[in-house]
Amino acid sequence: MSKDLINKILITLGFIFLYRLLAYVPVPGVNIDVVKEFFDSNANNALGLVNMFSGNAVERLSIISLGIMPYITASIIMELLAATFPALGKMKKERDGMQKYMQIIRYTTIVITLIQSIGVSVGLNSLTGQNGQGAISIDMNTFIAVSAISMLTGTMLLMWIGEQITQKGIGNGISLIIFAGIVSAIPSAIGGTVELVNNGQMNFLTVIGILVVIIATVGAIIYVELGERRVPVSYSRKVMMQNQKRRVMNYIPIKVNLSGVIPAIFASAILMFPATVLQGSQNKYLVAIADYLNPSSYTFNLFMFLFVVFFAFFYASITFNAKDISENLKKQGGFIPGVRPGASTADFLNEVASRLTFWGAIYMGLISTLPWLIVKAMGVPFYFGGVAVLIVVQVAIDTMRKIEAQQYMNKYQTLSAVGL
């Protein structure tokens, strides 16, 4: 590996380490023992899922307890608005407009973070431990102000870390932050499973069954994520003669899963938000809704499947622009055999992408829910879903691809420098 690539990897690891340090910085004025006791008793519901995505930062009530989810929620809102209003969509495509677009997302993130942090602070006021001690050790009004500022600072730091990783490191910063949070919870999950086996609450054969499900899930994800449809492309003789010393790609690769990890993250963010807000409610109707949105319920997983499928189609339509590909192909003197250049090529590519996206969306929906159904049938006493595995494997594959692309780029630059 080149020095530049090693520096990028070290920068990425450094920022991830900083993220993990922030997870241990608590909000001032909180009794951490009471909060941890509460989350230990709610490990199998929406709060447990939120805690997992934050890398156990929520149970410590860290300044990054809200994680990167407010930013993701703001991004979802803006993506939907950009798809609805053409002017906003046009602004997103322009270079100067993209900066304004990202600025709006940041301001929206601030608003969402403040609302959520105030809601969490008010909810903690009614939380007490087994010995009757409260979760807040200072004045309530002071705590709301302090926690709101602390959590807002933490979320802004995570946004900054994500942007720095994307610009100066390797991979997508936001995805890597979520990846690091999930992976950091693996040791405690293994320890909890061993404890259940030692206490006789779980059979050793069940553990083997869970491992089989995990391995099968990872294998299915890798198989589909590496799958692509290669649409053949031909070039005119003139173009081929002009590019004798350069490699001209003779196919257009279209992935089965065009939307990547985004649908799973978006679906989780949408479902976790109301479930978390309603968790502390005493109203019987709101409690019933919270039960329906419990990650260990069939309703939650049904909604997860539907949301993942929806966002897979939605995001694929944004990321794959058949019209631009068709125009670039025409400019380069290329064409798809049997298909006329221009609008016909765009229609053909859209048709191929739509068929692939259909199966890709079904695959993502099944991976997000099927492992949970299998594990629940085994009688496992804790939540295990495919969303976490999906995110971890997809982010790992995406990061590996970017490292390989960086290596190839360095090789070509080296060959060019020596005149080959």
Side-chain angles (χ1 to χ4, degrees):
M1 289 189 291
S2 67
K3 185 178 179 180
D4 182 53
L5 179 57
I6 292 173
N7 288 338
K8 287 185 176 183
I9 293 174
L10 291 176
I11 288 171
T12 302
L13 293 175
F15 278 117
I16 290 176
F17 179 70
L18 174 61
Y19 157 65
R20 292 309 303 152
L21 285 180
L22 291 173
Y24 290 87
V25 180
V27 172
V30 174
N31 189 330
I32 300 176
D33 294 331
V34 175
V35 177
K36 190 175 187 309
E37 181 184 307
F38 172 72
F39 274 92
D40 287 342
S41 62
N42 289 275
N44 296 330
N45 56 32
L47 292 175
L49 190 61
V50 173
N51 190 39
M52 179 192 70
F53 274 97
S54 70
N56 295 332
V58 178
E59 68 179 19
R60 304 183 191 99
L61 208 70
S62 157
I63 60 172
I64 60 168
S65 296
L66 298 179
I68 203 69
M69 287 304 171
Y71 175 80
I72 293 172
T73 305
S75 299
I76 295 171
I77 294 171
M78 289 301 295
E79 291 286 2
L80 292 172
L81 290 176
T84 306
F85 299 101
L88 192 60
K90 184 179 179 182
M91 181 178 74
K92 182 184 173 184
K93 293 179 180 179
E94 297 171 353
R95 184 175 180 180
D96 294 336
M98 188 61 183
Q99 294 179 352
K100 294 179 182 178
Y101 181 85
M102 294 304 299
Q103 199 68 21
I104 295 172
I105 290 180
R106 293 188 185 98
Y107 288 136
T108 308
T109 302
I110 292 173
V111 174
I112 294 173
T113 304
L114 288 174
I115 293 172
Q116 289 187 348
S117 60
I118 292 172
V120 169
S121 304
V122 173
L124 286 172
N125 189 40
S126 58
L127 186 63
T128 55
Q130 291 181 350
N131 299 325
Q133 69 271 36
I136 301 173
S137 58
I138 60 176
D139 177 68
M140 182 60 190
N141 293 329
T142 304
F143 176 74
I144 290 176
V146 170
S147 65
I149 294 172
S150 300
M151 291 184 186
L152 178 60
T153 303
T155 300
M156 292 298 105
L157 277 171
L158 287 187
M159 280 177 53
W160 178 77
I161 289 172
E163 290 176 356
Q164 294 303 306
I165 291 174
T166 302
Q167 294 172 7
K168 301 177 181 179
I170 290 288
N172 184 288
I174 302 301
S175 298
L176 281 171
I177 287 174
I178 299 173
F179 170 89
I182 295 172
V183 170
S184 66
I186 291 177
S188 61
I190 294 173
T193 304
V194 172
E195 186 178 346
L196 288 173
V197 173
N198 293 335
N199 295 337
Q201 298 180 34
M202 184 183 293
N203 193 309
F204 185 71
L205 292 176
T206 304
V207 177
I208 295 176
I210 294 172
L211 289 174
V212 170
V213 172
I214 293 173
I215 293 171
T217 303
V218 171
I221 293 171
I222 293 174
Y223 180 77
V224 176
E225 290 301 318
L226 296 179
E228 61 184 22
R229 165 77 184 276
R230 296 183 174 183
V231 179
V233 176
S234 295
Y235 291 90
S236 64
R237 184 177 178 83
K238 180 181 178 181
V239 173
M240 295 302 294
M241 293 296 291
Q242 290 174 348
N243 293 277
Q244 284 182 355
K245 294 183 180 180
R246 289 192 300 169
R247 178 175 177 268
V248 179
M249 185 176 289
N250 59 353
Y251 64 85
I252 300 172
I254 304 177
K255 292 178 60 179
V256 176
N257 179 21
L258 283 167
S259 52
V261 73
I262 299 298
I265 296 175
F266 278 13
S268 299
I270 287 177
L271 288 172
M272 284 193 297
F273 180 74
T276 306
V277 172
L278 297 174
Q279 195 65 43
S281 175
Q282 301 298 322
N283 185 287
K284 62 179 183 179
Y285 298 109
L286 295 180
V287 169
I289 295 174
D291 290 338
Y292 279 118
L293 295 178
N294 188 314
S296 295
S297 68
Y298 290 101
T299 315
F300 177 91
N301 283 272
L302 175 62
F303 280 122
M304 176 65 73
F305 179 88
L306 296 175
F307 277 130
V308 166
V309 170
F310 168 75
F311 281 117
F313 275 100
F314 174 74
Y315 207 74
S317 66
I318 296 174
T319 56
F320 186 80
N321 193 323
K323 185 178 179 181
D324 289 348
I325 296 174
S326 173
E327 290 177 355
N328 291 332
L329 199 62
K330 190 175 181 180
K331 290 177 183 177
Q332 294 171 4
F335 61 93
I336 299 172
V339 181
R340 288 187 177 184
S344 297
T345 298
D347 292 339
F348 175 80
L349 291 174
N350 272 325
E351 185 181 351
V352 172
S354 296
R355 289 201 300 265
L356 290 174
T357 301
F358 172 79
W359 293 111
I362 297 298
Y363 138 77
M364 288 197 69
L366 290 176
I367 287 293
S368 300
T369 55
L370 195 58
W372 172 82
L373 292 171
I374 296 172
V375 170
K376 187 176 179 66
M378 295 178 182
V380 175
F382 57 81
Y383 173 78
F384 171 80
V387 174
V389 182
L390 182 66
I391 292 172
V392 168
V393 177
Q394 281 194 345
V395 173
I397 291 174
D398 181 61
T399 305
M400 287 177 61
R401 279 175 170 165
K402 288 182 178 176
I403 291 174
E404 289 176 355
Q406 186 71 36
Q407 287 178 316
Y408 282 123
M409 188 184 298
N410 292 333
K411 286 181 180 178
Y412 289 137
Q413 288 174 351
T414 304
L415 291 172
S416 299
V418 297
L420 296 178

